[in-house]
Each structure stands twice: as C-alpha cells, then as structure tokens.
Amino acid sequence: FASFGAITTVGNASAEHVRIDSDSVDIIQDANNKAVLNASGLTISQSGAGVAKFAGTTTIGNTANEHLLLNTSGLAIKDGTTQRAIFAATSVIGSSTDKVTISDSGLTLRENNVNTLNIASGVIDVGDTSNEHLRIDTTGLTLKDNTTVVGKFNTHGATLGKTAGAHISASTTEVSIIRNNNNKAVVSADGMKITQGGTEVAGFGSTVVIGEV
C-alpha cells in the first residue's frame, strides 16, 4: 500500500508503515513502537517508552530509568534524574557524597562527604586533610594532624611526635629522645649521652660517666 500527497504513507497505515509529512519522517510498527525523525532529532520508542534520542543531547535507554546522556558537557550515566557518573574533562563516578573525581589535576576519592584520598602533582594524601592524615611526596612520608607534622619518614631518618615538643628523632647516625634542646638522650656510635637542664649528666660508652661532666 502507498499513498502520496501532503502526507505520504508507504505500507498499511493500520500496521507497519512509513509516514512522511511536513514535520517528520516516521517508521511505525504501532503507536508504541516507532522511530520519528524531525527537526529535534531522531527518537526511537519501544513499548511506549522512549529508548533512544539522537540530537544535540543524545539519550540511550529509558530516561525514566537507567540511561546514557551525551552532550557537550560529556557522557553521563543516569538513573532517572540522578546522575551516577559523568565522563568529560573532569570525570566523576558516584554521588555528591561518595565519588571518585578524575581530571588533569589528579584523582580524588570522596567517602561520606569527606575527601579521603587525593593524588595530585606527585603528592598523595590519605585521610581527611583537615584532621589526621598521611602524606607521601618527594620529601618522604609525613604523618599530619591538619597542618601540624606529628611524624616523618624519609631516607635521612625519621621523627615521631611534634618537633616543637617531646619527640623521637632518628637520623642515619644517631637516635635522640628529646624533651627540648636542654633535656634529651642521644644514642650514637660513641654511646649514649643524657642531658638535663642543658648539662650533660651521664655518658655511656667506652667510658661511663654518671653525674655532671
């Protein structure tokens, strides 16, 4: 069957057919299963639901459920109106509170609305950088409480504790237990020296001295 005029149909209009008018070209199986090409793009419907649309914004899948959306902002994976992931110059997988963000600047893992892993410019931060966390960079491995350094490990040695207060310091040549510069114990290849109030009060080595030197 075919009819040519202002509206052209090819095939039985009561069954599968092609319909052409001034607005669109339709390939129709029935009212619920068809493809419509017009100025807005190409829309494909199955079982009464739009399963794909190709236009300035392209969607693949039923937009009321899981589907893909592609436009100038990137490629988005969506569940209804909820965005589960987007792939673009900055790609995001997950929700606003639990997600992975990847860009030219680096990678961020966010969990329970807190960034718990940041990798950028050769620096790795593990943990909430506003609180206790670990940093790895070219200077070594640093334990921090917000901006305060509470421990550091590198090729030159290690420190445990805040250097402004009581701490342990280990270099390649000695280990020191330090309250402050005037009160400390230092162990080296020569032995151990104990200082109190700025005065050496004991020395343990090839010669042992106990009391002020």
Side-chain angles (χ1 to χ4, degrees):
F1 301 96
S3 173
F4 300 93
I7 298 175
T8 295
T9 59
V10 177
N12 185 344
S14 300
E16 296 85 354
H17 66 285
V18 177
R19 182 180 187 277
I20 304 171
D21 59 26
S22 60
D23 295 324
S24 66
V25 176
D26 305 344
I27 302 173
I28 301 169
Q29 181 183 38
D30 55 42
N32 294 320
N33 299 277
K34 59 186 176 180
V36 177
L37 177 63
N38 57 26
S40 298
L42 171 63
T43 301
I44 300 173
S45 299
Q46 182 182 43
S47 300
V51 295
K53 182 175 182 178
F54 301 89
T57 294
T58 293
T59 59
I60 299 174
N62 183 345
T63 55
N65 297 294
E66 294 78 4
H67 65 283
L68 302 179
L69 184 149
L70 177 64
N71 58 22
T72 55
S73 297
L75 171 63
I77 299 175
K78 304 186 74 175
D79 181 2
T81 60
T82 303
Q83 183 169 287
R84 300 299 185 188
I86 185 167
F87 300 91
T90 296
S91 296
V92 180
I93 301 172
S95 67
S96 60
T97 58
D98 299 274
K99 62 183 178 180
V100 177
T101 302
I102 304 171
S103 69
D104 291 339
S105 300
L107 180 150
T108 300
L109 173 64
R110 189 171 184 85
E111 192 275 325
N112 197 25
N113 212 29
V114 175
N115 291 343
T116 55
L117 175 65
N118 292 281
I119 303 174
S121 303
V123 177
I124 301 173
D125 286 314
V126 180
D128 179 4
T129 54
S130 298
N131 297 291
E132 292 78 6
H133 66 284
L134 180 153
R135 169 167 288 190
I136 303 171
D137 58 19
T138 55
T139 66
L141 184 153
T142 306
L143 304 177
K144 303 182 76 175
D145 181 4
N146 198 335
T147 60
T148 303
V149 175
V150 296
K152 189 158 189 173
F153 303 84
N154 56 33
T155 56
H156 304 295
T159 59
L160 291 174
K162 300 177 183 179
T163 55
H167 66 284
I168 298 172
S169 174
S171 69
T172 56
T173 58
E174 62 184 30
V175 176
S176 303
I177 301 174
I178 302 169
R179 173 63 184 87
N180 52 43
N181 284 334
N182 294 321
N183 300 276
K184 60 187 176 181
V186 179
V187 180
S188 68
D190 296 326
M192 180 172 70
K193 294 181 179 181
I194 300 175
T195 301
Q196 183 181 41
T199 301
E200 187 177 310
V201 295
F204 301 89
S206 56
T207 298
V208 175
V209 178
I210 298 177
E212 291 188 12
V213 178

